[in-house]
Amino acid sequence: MQKVKTRTNGSVRKNKRLFMRNIIFVTILLWTPFLLFAEIQQSVDLSLTSALGYSSIKLRDRGDNYDYMDVLGNAKLAYTLSGRGKLIRSQARLAITGTESVGILLELTRAYIRTRVPIGNSYNLQLELGKNSLTWGEGSYYNAGDVIFGSSPKTTDLSSINFRDYAFWQFRMFIPITDFVYLESVVGIPDQLYKMDSISHIIMPSSNIESLGAGLRFHAETGFLQWELGGYSRFVSNKISPYISIALPLKVRTYVATSTEFDFSTDAENMESQLQETTKISGGMLVTRSVGNEGSIIVQPELMYQNYLWNVQLNMSWFFRRTLGLVLRGDVDIYQEVYSLLLGPQWLPEEGFTLSMFSVTSVDVQEQSNNNAVHTKLMLSMQYKW
Amino acid sequence: MKTLKINKVSTILLLFLLCLSEVGLLAQANSNLSIDAILDKLEQNQVFEGTIAKGSISVKDRYGTRTIDMQLQSKGSDYSLIEFTSTAERGQKTLRVKDKIYLYYPDAEQIVTLNKSMFQQSILDSDVSYEDIAGDDSIREKFIANLESVEIKNGQESYKIYLSAINDRKETYPYQRIWVRSDTFTLHAAELFTRRKKLRKTLEVQAIQKVSKNRYFISKLVFSDVLKKNSTTTILMSEVEIRDVPSNVFSIESLKF
């Protein structure tokens, strides 16, 4: 028993040392590039969300005493540092996120250096190393063309500001062919996160080796049609995902994407390699209209087809005044058998500041779940950037 | 919402670029000048071969004043690249190549092409819509012009010209009255009318700056939508540099850097 305790303490000390070493490394990594720039820009993002009220009505009693815990609040503080020269630019962002379910999460959400390499007199090659976002395909919620981060959103919490706030460590090369045709290749590098347990306050590292892979895309414009095709291969899980994405700049902006994941992984029990295919199709449109003298309406429905089922997401904003509007978001997730609806007013008193109050209702009717219930919560959300 | 706002910001700047004026000749008001000669001079002076500038857009309405800072580069009337430098929009860029507009969002590393249907909307909830600036700047191909008088407008001697569209269904504002400065042949003021000849918008140039011998640019421009009570949009430019800008600045690569 004593030995176990010693090992645990040793492991904690090792984690702390590793954590501190990485903090020092990251600090150096963050600041060194900025010594190159005469002008450095800084900004701070603050986001607070809290539930004002919560109710849950159980739809069927399975006899299990399962205490459902939904997202009832979170806080995020992010500090961004960026600098740019003629041939080099750099950005770093450190974010501290706190949620009741995960605890405190310290994450380097951006840390990259991008450089421009002139090719002749006409074109510049771009090279980038570090942690950054990358969007392949198109879609705010569902995007089958996003073979790097996945077709589904990072969060299904409808009160979220950005559903696809993804980033990963990468080495990226941007190769222009003409002004509007290009090739882009990327190598994904494993990430490491540090999470502090909310009860024990122990900092634990966790590595995401799934992102280890490589991909390539080709983007072109043919007349009024924009299209791209490419693919990403994951080395660890032996998966290859080619995709094609098309955007039609019609009267209403319309976009579609499809991808197929070929899974070459080996079955652990039979030690046999068997190929599995999963095809996804997503599409959406963006409709914007002026309403009255100072109002506007934005409607963005999106669909995704997966495993013979369609999922539907709707994002709608109606601003009847410049600073005041109503937001409606709905998600019909037939695959997960969860249906969610968000409705509430949003106030934008000044640039960079948003205050929202949302009623969020989610209905879970999943057959396998012990948690078939209607959950309703009233949320207050604030975002400020300065 | 953010997407739209940036779209709006970008386009108002494009409008401003079209209003940057180059003047080849200083002239006194000459009532003998034909309407064709005045419009020729005005059209010749609409666009610089290349511009690099810093500026801001301020929208003043009953909710207060919002100001967005930006940097822009342009080439002729077809090419422009705008980068927003205010904290809330920092790093977002807009590229215009002829009738196409591309938006770049640095957080998502994403490029979105602006659809023409969005042109009908107000820009930055301001007094300017995308349609106001859509199309080329060729007045004589689209309008029949009539020189009404030479008059003092806002303290400046100007040619008062009335324009009526050859095809009124094609133009957003088929009827327009413009004032052209008699000394610099730059746009001085304008009134834009709907198909039913109702006044919809006014435009007033409040300042021009001399950048070199016989060369000027409009440094302050104020728009007003008469449907929006107590609302004005001011575009202010500073640190303007007139020089050739390489063509590859107006590319996806430049947008992503």
Side-chain angles (χ1 to χ4, degrees):
Chain A
M1 191 65 191
Q2 186 60 41
K3 280 181 182 176
V4 173
K5 195 178 177 182
T6 307
R7 265 205 305 269
T8 307
N9 287 341
S11 173
V12 169
R13 275 199 299 273
K14 189 181 169 188
N15 282 337
K16 278 185 177 172
R17 275 202 304 274
L18 188 64
F19 175 73
M20 290 311 296
R21 203 162 54 222
N22 279 294
I23 284 286
I24 293 163
F25 169 72
V26 163
T27 307
I28 295 166
L29 184 80
L30 288 184
W31 278 99
T32 306
F34 297 99
L35 300 175
L36 300 168
F37 307 115
E39 192 182 338
I40 295 173
Q41 294 170 325
Q42 302 173 77
S43 65
V44 178
D45 289 82
L46 176 66
S47 167
L48 299 168
T49 303
S50 178
L52 300 175
Y54 180 80
S55 82
S56 184
I57 303 164
K58 213 161 187 178
L59 292 177
R60 70 184 102 172
D61 193 353
R62 289 174 176 272
D64 302 312
N65 188 20
Y66 183 79
D67 186 19
Y68 181 79
M69 188 66 176
D70 199 357
V71 176
L72 293 179
N74 60 64
K76 185 175 181 179
L77 184 70
Y79 170 69
T80 307
L81 191 65
S82 52
R84 192 172 67 178
K86 204 169 182 180
L87 293 175
I88 191 165
R89 63 175 295 177
S90 187
Q91 191 185 70
R93 183 179 302 158
L94 196 63
I96 302 170
T97 311
T99 58
E100 71 280 315
S101 53
V102 178
I104 296 168
L105 177 68
L106 181 68
E107 195 181 5
L108 193 64
T109 55
R110 298 287 187 278
Y112 66 85
I113 298 172
R114 185 179 302 170
T115 183
R116 219 173 204 178
V117 183
I119 310 169
N121 295 324
S122 304
Y123 296 107
N124 296 308
L125 193 79
Q126 279 183 22
L127 302 172
E128 181 181 297
L129 179 66
K131 187 174 185 179
N132 198 6
S133 183
L134 186 62
T135 303
W136 286 7
E138 199 164 331
S140 298
Y141 196 84
Y142 293 121
N143 179 4
D146 192 343
V147 289
I148 297 171
F149 301 110
S151 52
S152 296
K154 189 177 181 180
T155 174
T156 53
D157 176 14
L158 294 179
S159 63
S160 175
I161 314 161
N162 185 357
F163 297 113
R164 303 190 68 84
D165 185 20
Y166 291 110
F168 76 143
W169 288 91
Q170 57 181 285
F171 173 69
R172 190 172 63 87
M173 189 188 292
F174 178 87
I175 309 155
I177 296 166
T178 68
D179 284 347
F180 298 94
V181 177
Y182 60 86
L183 273 169
E184 189 171 54
S185 68
V186 66
V187 175
I189 303 163
D191 195 358
Q192 193 163 49
L193 302 172
Y194 289 93
K195 290 179 183 176
M196 184 187 283
D197 187 85
S198 57
I199 299 165
S200 64
H201 298 287
I202 294 171
I203 297 161
M204 297 293 287
S206 64
S207 188
N208 176 20
I209 56 167
E210 264 297 302
S211 58
L212 183 64
L216 180 75
R217 75 162 160 167
F218 174 75
H219 178 100
E221 290 184 28
T222 313
F224 66 96
L225 194 77
Q226 285 184 323
W227 57 277
E228 62 184 52
L229 57 92
Y232 194 80
S233 173
R234 289 175 202 287
F235 301 148
V236 178
S237 52
N238 285 324
K239 290 174 184 169
I240 296 173
S241 308
Y243 81 98
I244 183 161
S245 172
I246 299 167
L248 299 153
L250 303 172
K251 198 166 185 182
V252 171
R253 181 168 176 79
T254 310
Y255 45 89
V256 289
T258 181
S259 63
T260 302
E261 183 183 83
F262 296 97
D263 187 346
F264 295 95
S265 57
T266 306
D267 189 309
E269 286 184 6
N270 304 327
M271 293 302 286
E272 288 177 0
S273 180
Q274 53 184 37
L275 176 65
Q276 286 187 331
E277 291 176 30
T278 311
T279 299
K280 294 170 185 174
I281 303 167
S282 72
M285 58 176 69
L286 178 64
V287 184
T288 58
R289 291 283 180 272
S290 295
V291 181
N293 292 340
E294 55 182 69
S296 63
I297 191 160
I298 304 165
V299 183
Q300 188 172 25
E302 288 187 346
L303 298 159
M304 191 172 77
Y305 175 81
Q306 180 185 4
N307 295 333
Y308 307 103
L309 293 171
W310 285 96
N311 288 346
V312 184
Q313 205 268 348
L314 175 69
N315 197 349
M316 196 171 107
S317 304
W318 172 38
F319 274 77
F320 37 90
R321 290 184 181 178
R322 180 176 68 73
T323 56
L324 193 62
L326 269 176
V327 175
L328 172 74
R329 288 177 197 147
D331 182 25
V332 179
D333 191 336
I334 297 168
Y335 186 63
Q336 298 284 342
E337 294 181 89
V338 176
Y339 312 105
S340 308
L341 182 74
L342 174 146
L343 180 67
Q346 197 167 61
W347 184 45
L348 296 86
E350 61 179 89
E351 286 295 305
F353 183 77
T354 308
L355 192 65
S356 317
M357 187 183 279
F358 298 129
S359 154
V360 186
T361 303
S362 109
V363 183
D364 184 347
V365 290
Q366 218 176 139
E367 271 297 314
Q368 305 302 320
S369 172
N370 294 328
N371 187 38
N372 296 152
V374 179
H375 310 284
T376 307
K377 56 186 176 179
L378 187 65
M379 310 286 289
L380 185 68
S381 174
M382 186 273 280
Q383 287 94 42
Y384 192 46
K385 185 170 188 172
W386 72 95
Chain B
M1 195 61 196
K2 179 75 81 179
T3 304
L4 287 175
K5 289 208 166 189
I6 295 313
N7 294 345
K8 291 169 180 177
V9 173
S10 57
T11 317
I12 201 166
L13 298 174
L14 301 178
L15 172 63
F16 187 83
L17 289 174
L18 291 175
C19 294
L20 289 172
S21 296
E22 178 184 1
V23 176
L25 182 68
L26 287 174
Q28 294 298 311
N30 184 347
S31 56
N32 293 328
L33 269 180
S34 69
I35 181 68
D36 283 345
I38 297 165
L39 291 178
D40 276 348
K41 285 175 183 287
L42 176 69
E43 289 191 356
Q44 281 168 15
N45 294 337
Q46 286 288 337
V47 184
F48 281 106
E49 67 276 14
T51 311
I52 297 171
K54 289 183 179 177
S56 66
I57 303 167
S58 293
V59 182
K60 188 180 177 184
D61 57 19
R62 58 182 169 143
Y63 306 106
T65 304
R66 291 164 296 132
T67 302
I68 293 172
D69 299 325
M70 81 281 182
Q71 293 176 348
L72 63 90
Q73 297 179 79
S74 73
K75 190 181 181 75
S77 61
D78 286 339
Y79 300 91
S80 66
L81 177 68
I82 298 138
E83 180 170 359
F84 301 99
T85 51
S86 295
T87 308
E89 299 84 13
R90 186 172 292 151
Q92 295 180 358
K93 293 183 192 175
T94 298
L95 172 68
R96 178 187 170 232
V97 177
K98 295 178 181 171
D99 60 347
K100 285 185 177 176
I101 294 174
Y102 302 85
L103 309 168
Y104 170 67
Y105 298 97
D107 264 7
E109 284 292 327
Q110 188 177 20
I111 293 170
V112 174
T113 308
L114 183 63
N115 191 284
K116 276 187 177 175
S117 67
M118 294 175 178
F119 286 17
Q120 295 171 347
Q121 292 176 65
S122 163
I123 299 166
L124 188 64
D125 300 315
S126 70
D127 302 84
V128 187
S129 74
Y130 294 102
E131 280 187 332
D132 294 352
I133 60 160
D136 59 49
D137 50 349
S138 172
I139 297 169
R140 295 174 66 194
E141 285 177 13
K142 293 181 172 182
F143 292 91
I144 296 165
N146 179 33
L147 178 61
E148 293 187 324
S149 63
V150 179
E151 66 173 33
I152 304 295
K153 173 78 172 172
N154 300 333
Q156 176 63 47
E157 190 177 59
S158 307
Y159 295 107
K160 184 181 175 184
I161 299 166
Y162 187 74
L163 305 170
S164 51
I166 294 167
N167 183 347
D168 66 355
R169 297 205 170 271
K170 276 190 174 178
E171 304 304 321
T172 311
Y173 305 107
Y175 305 99
Q176 301 180 13
R177 182 169 282 116
I178 61 169
W179 284 261
V180 179
R181 280 181 69 144
S182 60
D183 56 349
T184 58
F185 288 96
T186 54
L187 188 68
H188 185 54
E191 290 174 350
L192 310 176
F193 299 89
T194 63
R195 203 168 291 137
R196 293 181 178 179
K197 297 191 176 180
K198 285 188 175 177
L199 179 64
R200 178 65 201 272
K201 288 180 184 175
T202 63
L203 183 156
E204 190 184 324
V205 175
Q206 292 194 341
I208 60 169
Q209 280 184 14
K210 191 173 185 176
V211 287
S212 65
K213 190 182 177 185
N214 297 339
R215 301 192 85 181
Y216 295 79
F217 71 91
I218 295 169
S219 56
K220 191 176 181 184
L221 187 65
V222 180
F223 278 90
S224 183
D225 184 340
V226 295
L227 293 180
K228 293 185 175 185
K229 290 175 183 172
N230 302 319
S231 175
T232 55
T233 300
T234 305
I235 305 171
L236 201 63
M237 297 304 292
S238 60
E239 298 180 40
V240 176
E241 199 181 330
I242 311 297
R243 64 174 167 88
D244 188 37
V245 179
S247 296
N248 66 352
V249 166
F250 309 101
S251 65
I252 295 289
E253 187 278 325
S254 190
L255 202 61
K256 285 174 82 79
F257 187 72

